């Protein structure tokens, strides 16, 4: 998979939507999982969902269901759509590669640098 690069973050107002992108520098293997995590100031990294690349199956924690949607485009790009943004959604959003749709950050073996999302009320 090489490197992962997130983009699409920025400043937003509460209620807005954002679509974050994660681009892999090479093809993503069908057996791999792309996970999305976020980390707010002073908080631990939080799982917001993942996708099994080959099947396109998506997995979300209860906290993310309804507002977060993961999709893919082409052989090496995955998106995280966030609707109805809340100030609590502020933080750095990361994508990562793993082998199972785990909510545990340490089970992912390659990470991007993250993209900052700031939501004002």
């Amino acid at each position: 998979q090489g490197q992962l690069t997130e983009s699409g973050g920025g400043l937003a107002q509460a209620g807005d939507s954002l679509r974050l992108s994660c681009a892999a520098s090479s093809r993503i293997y069908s057996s791999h999982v792309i996970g999305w995590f976020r980390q707010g100031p002073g908080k631990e990294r939080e799982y917001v969902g993942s996708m099994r690349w080959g099947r396109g199956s998506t997995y979300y924690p209860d906290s993310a269901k309804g507002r977060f949607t993961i999709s893919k485009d082409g052989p090496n790009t995955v998106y995280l759509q966030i609707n109805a943004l809340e100030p609590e959604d502020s933080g750095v959003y990361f994508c990562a590669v793993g082998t199972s749709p785990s909510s545990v950050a340490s089970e992912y073996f390659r990470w991007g640098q993250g993209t900052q999302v700031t939501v004002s009320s």
Side-chain angles (χ1 to χ4, degrees), residues 89-106:
D89 293 324
S90 297
V92 180
Y93 283 72
F94 301 89
C95 62
V97 179
T99 56
S100 66
S102 173
S103 62
V104 179
S106 61

Side-chain angles (χ1 to χ4, degrees), residues 15-32:
D16 287 350
S17 297
L18 274 180
R19 189 177 75 165
L20 308 182
S21 300
C22 172
S25 60
S26 58
R27 186 182 182 94
I28 300 171
Y29 296 130
S30 59
S31 61
H32 281 169

Side-chain angles (χ1 to χ4, degrees), residues 26-79:
S26 58
R27 186 182 182 94
I28 300 171
Y29 296 130
S30 59
S31 61
H32 281 169
V33 168
I34 302 296
W36 281 97
F37 290 78
R38 67 183 181 188
Q39 189 165 18
K43 297 182 179 180
E44 293 187 356
R45 203 160 287 193
E46 177 189 9
Y47 171 73
V48 297
S50 58
M51 171 182 278
R52 174 78 68 182
W53 190 254
R55 296 178 181 177
S57 305
T58 53
Y59 310 86
Y60 304 97
D62 288 343
S63 59
K65 289 179 181 177
R67 294 198 302 120
F68 292 75
T69 304
I70 297 171
S71 61
K72 64 178 180 177
D73 182 25
N76 60 357
T77 302
V78 61
Y79 301 109

